[in-house]
Amino acid sequence: MVRLPDRSGSRSTHRPGGPRARRVADHARATRKRRTLDAAGGAGGHTDPAESKRTGRLRSALTGRSVAGQVFVLQVVIVLLLVVAAVVSLYLQVRHDSTQEARRRSVAVAQAFANAPGTREALSSPRPTVILQPRAEAARKATGVDFIVVMNTEGIRYTHPKPNRIGKKFVGTIAPALAGKTVVEEVNGTIGRLDQAVVPVKAPDGKVVGLVSAGVTTRNIGGAANRQLPLVLLAAAVALALATGGTALVSRRLLRQTHGLGPHEMTRMYEHHDAVLHAVREGVLIATGEGRLLLANDEAHRLLDLPEDAEGRHVTELGLPADTADLLASGRVATDEVHLVKDRLLAVNQRPTDVQGGPPGSVATLRDSTELRALSGRAEAARERLEMLYDAGVGIGTSLDVTRTAQELAELAVPRFADFATVDLFDAVLDGGQPEAVTPLRRTAVSGIREDAPLYPVGRQLSFVDTSPQARSLHSGQAVLEPDLDLAMGWHAQDLERTAQVVDYGIHSLITVPLRAGSLVLGVVSFWRSEKPEPFDTEELALAEELVARAAVSIDNARRYTREHSMAVTLQRSLLPRRLPEQSALDIAYRYLPAQAGVGGDWFDVLPLSGARVALVVGDVVGHGLHAAATMGRLRTAVHNFSALDLPPDELVALLDELVARIDQDEAAYDGNAPITGATCLYAIYDPVARSCTVARAGHPPPALVRPDGSVTFPDVPAGPPLGLGGLPFETAELALEEGSRLVLYTDGLVENRHRDIDEGLDMLRDALERAGKSPEETCRSVLEAQLPSRPSDDVALIVARTRALPADRVAEWDVPPDPAAVSGVRASLNRQLERWGLEELAFTTELILSELVTNAIRYGADPIHVRVLFDRTLICEVFDSSSTSPHLRYAAMTDEGGRGLFLVAQLAERWGTRYTPAGKVIWAEQPLP
């Protein structure tokens, strides 16, 4: 607080309406009266008082005693300095512009002379000076430059304004000009200080044959600036006069506005404003840079309860709370900082006073915000609750997993709403089924501010007693609030030992809310409080109900998805092969991984064929869900049926293409919005006798081949269109496979996803196969570990088949002439071969089967006829002929002479059939080994 001395020398505190204010007013009146009397006395008592007053004001203004006079003097000085600075800068600017103009003129003159007709020819003449000197002087006089010098490439002058300088070395830089560039520089030349330009004279081929320099002396440049100096000084004088006049007018107006008051009178006016400052309803504190209080108005005294002698003392000595005193002493910037002083919440704003050159210190304002703070606290709590409900809508249900969704609910509630949260669901809900009240619940999710709480752990099966809050919530469908768990006897009845531990741990309040989705009750959510001493209230109960209601929708969606996903997985697994068939051509390992997001349509199969051959098929139906799984089942069944016909790969894929097209037509006719079925397929047949593999594919990724030496290739198999498009034929590729080679078939989920393209995936697959072990199982494991993320987004089917070869000593072949008498020779050769194989027990039946097949080929077929017998897991007899006529089984009548041969073959053989080749057909029969 500012203290002013009065005439009696005493000091008093300045308060509105107090003794100090009255003394200030009396002092002001006495001063004005004294000033009036002094003005009258100065005129000897004979001068007009009004005229004397005006004269005194003018004298005060001119002498600088008044504020207006001081302003006038300061403005005149500033204007004078500005005019001087403007004159100097203008002169320098004119000189700079003259220099630049001289340089531009020098460059232009030099370039014009260098490019003038005859200059280049004169340089190459025997006497260039005779030709160029007159031209150079004429050009110099015409253009206003001080010199034009023509020189050769060594810098020897041919021309110069002073003839005695001709033939001497040019003063300046010529190296850049010899390189074809223009040089502008300031040098001390033969005619004084000058700015010159040097340009090259070029021949038609671009070669520099000479140089031309033109320039202007610094003396002439300065002369141009000096000639403009009088005009500049005249303009400056006019500007100074105008500025001085304007300043005088401003000072005169300021003199009228301030009534000629000097600094002391202005100080007294400030004191009146100080009196007003004490009347405002906002506390004001001004402190020095050292933290001593200079001023505290009445409102600050009231809000802070300051002592009467607070001004002049350090702020830390005023009995304020530590945080408030530290803020005022520090002088740091503060905006609406809330401090508790006694029973008031004060909003403090503080700014430094030396930002714009003022004295060091700070000024702080105080505003009582106790009631406003209470209202804003309630608004903040409401905002936080709305924000939590919004986050629940966004953050709960990010996955269609029941357990994960329950955990998201528990984590959202802690610690924003409760200190601990638990979610208990019926076991059937976790499996996607309908909840049943008679079944126990299972703790599905737990979240808390600490991990050592004595609550039931995750996975614990729970059966709540009827008096517990959880059981009451489940039975009534309403939320239950237990404000004091220590007094909740029904809750203690659940588990006396554990509930006592919970209370001893510090958990004192509970809200239980049933998880309701329509008419279904999925479980119960419990919110526990331990840190805050206040129990849950009814407003928080309503918030808990709203939070759980939003989460219940997501949990029910996850339950429904789990149910549908389980059904689709069950359907899909029922359609996939449960075990691989027995065969000896390939060692096979496989993997099938369904997608995490939903069941897809990937499938694979291993199909034994005639002649010890094996077919491998892998396919992919686009999409996920039951429709994709059902379509996959139809295609797999079709492949089984088509493979029974022993068709080549390209013909079988073509039949699948027609089947998919018919499926699309049928579904489009039934439902116009039905999606088009997209499917890919790869079909391969491996022959262990020929050690070859025939492959055809329809829009499917190519197979990988691992040679016995470990090298990996992707064979070039023609890529047909995906199944269902139709109109294009399919082609096959014939692969020669060494024994021990590994053929790798897979679906696109292994090598392609949203984060990488198929080329990158194939490179990764190549690297994984090169590092994999030699067995099919090791290969499958290495590939999946290298290729797949923890949660694949698409189904993956993988088959690794290591080839075997049927030894040559297990194959017997004979050519048969088209003569019925040759059958006996075939039987004899067969008996001898069976003896070598140790299969004498099969001699009779095999002899009978082969005799019938050969006889049919001789009688109904065409040359050539060939017999092959294979000793594999079964004994296989094959008869080749060039006829395409297929025999068929029929029942012969009692009077028929023939027609019983194939019937006997069917009765004696385990399997028999016909397959077609490009050269004819093969009739085969298999017998089990003894």
Side-chain angles (χ1 to χ4, degrees), residues 123-408:
L123 288 171
S124 60
S125 67
R127 302 179 65 187
T129 300
V130 175
I131 301 173
L132 295 175
Q133 177 69 8
R135 296 182 182 179
E137 288 301 301
R140 178 180 67 80
K141 295 175 181 179
T143 57
V145 297
D146 289 334
F147 72 93
I148 297 178
V149 173
V150 183
M151 67 197 87
N152 61 11
T153 56
E154 296 178 357
I156 305 301
R157 300 189 186 98
Y158 291 150
T159 67
H160 197 276
K162 296 180 178 180
N164 61 347
R165 302 295 182 182
I166 297 174
K168 296 184 178 181
K169 189 74 172 182
F170 175 74
V171 179
T173 303
I174 65 173
L178 293 175
K181 299 180 180 179
T182 299
V183 181
V184 180
E185 61 181 352
E186 183 177 359
V187 299
N188 288 317
T190 58
I191 59 176
R193 189 72 178 175
L194 50 84
D195 289 303
Q196 66 181 13
V198 182
V199 299
V201 180
K202 297 182 179 180
D205 58 354
K207 180 179 179 182
V208 178
V209 298
L211 304 174
V212 176
S213 175
V216 180
T217 61
T218 306
R219 179 177 63 257
N220 290 337
I221 296 173
N226 294 333
R227 287 191 294 274
Q228 297 185 23
L229 185 60
L231 180 61
V232 172
L233 293 176
L234 179 60
V238 173
L240 179 61
L242 293 176
T244 304
T247 302
L249 292 176
V250 173
S251 298
R252 183 178 179 181
R253 183 173 180 83
L254 182 61
L255 185 66
R256 288 198 307 267
Q257 294 292 334
T258 59
H259 302 287
L261 295 177
H264 297 290
E265 287 83 2
M266 295 296 291
T267 301
R268 283 197 299 272
M269 289 182 62
Y270 169 75
E271 290 178 319
H272 285 282
H273 288 288
D274 184 50
V276 175
L277 180 66
H278 287 281
V280 298
R281 293 301 305 272
E282 189 171 89
V284 178
L285 296 172
I286 300 177
T288 65
E290 292 79 17
R292 293 195 173 275
L293 186 63
L294 290 179
L295 172 67
N297 68 349
D298 290 346
E299 185 67 8
H301 273 271
R302 184 183 71 84
L303 294 176
L304 298 177
D305 195 16
L306 297 176
E308 290 294 329
D309 59 344
E311 287 84 353
R313 296 170 60 180
H314 200 276
V315 293
T316 57
E317 302 172 358
L318 302 179
L320 301 176
D323 58 339
T324 307
D326 292 342
L327 172 61
L328 297 177
S330 67
R332 63 178 174 85
V333 175
T335 302
D336 288 337
E337 279 195 18
V338 178
H339 291 260
L340 179 63
V341 180
K342 298 193 183 305
D343 57 346
R344 294 187 179 95
L345 288 173
L346 302 182
V348 182
N349 290 273
Q350 183 167 270
R351 295 293 185 273
T353 57
D354 57 354
V355 175
Q356 297 181 352
S362 61
V363 56
T365 60
L366 311 174
R367 187 175 65 255
D368 192 351
S369 62
T370 304
E371 295 182 358
L372 180 62
R373 188 68 177 178
L375 292 175
S376 64
R378 290 194 292 269
E380 179 67 16
R383 186 193 65 80
E384 290 178 355
R385 293 177 181 180
L386 290 175
E387 183 179 356
M388 185 170 65
L389 291 177
Y390 171 78
D391 292 343
V394 174
I396 299 177
T398 58
S399 66
L400 292 173
D401 181 82
V402 175
T403 302
R404 177 59 189 161
T405 306
Q407 187 64 36
E408 290 171 347

Side-chain angles (χ1 to χ4, degrees), residues 3 155 170 192 284 465 493 573 583 660 679 781 827 837 843 854 895:
R3 300 181 182 276
F170 175 74
V284 178
V465 298
R573 293 194 179 279
Q583 46 82 32
V660 173
R781 183 168 55 254
R827 287 198 299 266
W837 287 341
V854 172
T895 58

Side-chain angles (χ1 to χ4, degrees), residues 818-859:
D819 184 1
V823 177
S824 60
V826 172
R827 287 198 299 266
S829 299
L830 175 64
N831 286 328
R832 288 191 296 271
Q833 186 63 50
L834 292 178
E835 289 178 2
R836 283 193 291 270
W837 287 341
L839 299 177
E840 294 87 351
E841 297 182 18
L842 298 178
F844 176 75
T845 56
T846 305
E847 183 179 327
L848 183 57
I849 290 172
L850 192 58
S851 297
E852 292 295 336
L853 295 180
V854 172
T855 301
N856 278 342
I858 294 173
R859 184 174 298 174

Side-chain angles (χ1 to χ4, degrees), residues 7-139:
R7 291 186 179 272
S8 62
S10 62
R11 297 168 64 107
S12 62
T13 302
H14 182 40
R15 303 286 187 200
R20 180 179 179 181
R22 288 193 295 272
R23 281 195 296 272
V24 168
D26 294 340
H27 181 69
R29 285 193 295 271
T31 301
R32 287 195 296 272
K33 182 177 180 181
R34 184 176 63 255
R35 189 174 60 185
T36 303
L37 293 176
D38 290 343
H46 302 286
T47 305
D48 183 19
E51 183 66 24
S52 299
K53 187 175 183 179
R54 286 195 296 271
T55 303
R57 288 179 179 177
L58 180 60
R59 187 185 307 113
S60 177
L62 293 177
T63 57
R65 289 197 301 266
S66 67
V67 174
Q70 294 176 359
V71 170
F72 174 79
V73 173
L74 179 61
Q75 288 186 344
V76 169
V77 172
I78 292 175
V79 169
L80 181 61
L81 292 177
L82 290 176
V83 168
V84 171
V87 170
V88 172
S89 63
L90 185 59
Y91 176 80
L92 295 178
Q93 181 64 37
V94 169
R95 186 177 180 87
H96 176 268
D97 293 343
S98 300
T99 302
Q100 294 301 317
E101 176 61 27
R103 291 188 175 188
R104 286 194 293 270
R105 189 192 312 165
S106 299
V107 172
V109 171
Q111 290 179 341
F113 195 90
N115 297 322
T119 300
R120 186 175 65 251
E121 291 78 7
L123 288 171
S124 60
S125 67
R127 302 179 65 187
T129 300
V130 175
I131 301 173
L132 295 175
Q133 177 69 8
R135 296 182 182 179
E137 288 301 301

Side-chain angles (χ1 to χ4, degrees), residues 564-579:
E564 295 180 1
H565 182 74
S566 299
M567 293 171 57
V569 169
T570 302
L571 172 62
Q572 186 184 42
R573 293 194 179 279
S574 67
L575 296 175
L576 291 173
R578 297 180 181 273
R579 61 182 182 85

Side-chain angles (χ1 to χ4, degrees), residues 568 572 592 594-595 598-602 620-625 628-630 632 794-795:
Q572 186 184 42
Y592 179 81
V599 175
D602 292 14
D620 183 7
V621 176
V622 176
H624 296 86
M632 176 269 289
D794 194 8
D795 290 14

